[in-house]
Amino acid sequence: MSVMPWPQELRFRKGAGELSVVFEDGLEAAIPYKRLREESPSAEVRGHGSGPRPPQPPVPDDISVTKADPVGRYAVRIHFSDGHSSGLYTWQHLRDLAAA
C-alpha cells in the first residue's frame, strides 16, 4: 500500500481566486475557488449513496473563500462566500483536484 503525499503548504490566494497547494513529493497546483466549490465532497453536492448528484445552482464566477479550518490531520473545511461549508476536503481529495 502506498502512502499518499502530504500537503506541505496550502495558500488561499484571494486576489487570484485560487488555492495554491504544494505536496511533499513536489506536485504543485492552483485550484480555482469555483472548482473547489463545484467539487465539494459534501453530501449536499454529491448526494447520499450511489444515486445521481442532486441538482445544484450554478456557482458564481466570483465565489470566494471566507475562511478555512483544519480538521484533524486529514482535511480542511472550506467556508465559501455563498454560505457553503459542509464539505471536508481531505488531502486525497485535494490531491485528486490538483492532479486533474
Side-chain angles (χ1 to χ4, degrees):
M1 179 170 101
S2 64
V3 176
M4 193 220 46
W6 282 72
Q8 289 185 312
E9 180 178 303
L10 298 176
R11 182 170 295 167
F12 291 90
R13 300 178 57 209
K14 185 176 183 172
E18 64 189 19
L19 168 61
S20 173
V21 60
V22 177
F23 287 87
E24 65 186 356
D25 67 350
L27 176 67
E28 296 182 35
I31 308 166
Y33 290 164
K34 182 174 181 176
R35 182 152 183 252
L36 284 170
R37 175 61 178 87
E38 290 171 340
E39 297 296 330
S40 171
S42 72
E44 177 184 338
V45 172
R46 301 247 173 194
H48 297 275
S50 62
R53 284 183 166 207
Q56 295 293 308
V59 175
D61 290 336
D62 65 348
I63 191 95
S64 62
V65 170
T66 58
K67 74 177 193 172
D69 302 314
V71 178
R73 296 188 58 193
Y74 69 96
V76 63
R77 179 185 309 274
I78 300 174
H79 300 258
F80 292 92
S81 57
D82 67 353
H84 182 77
S85 64
S86 61
L88 296 182
Y89 291 78
T90 63
W91 304 147
Q92 182 65 58
H93 187 59
L94 287 178
R95 173 88 180 179
D96 292 346
L97 291 174

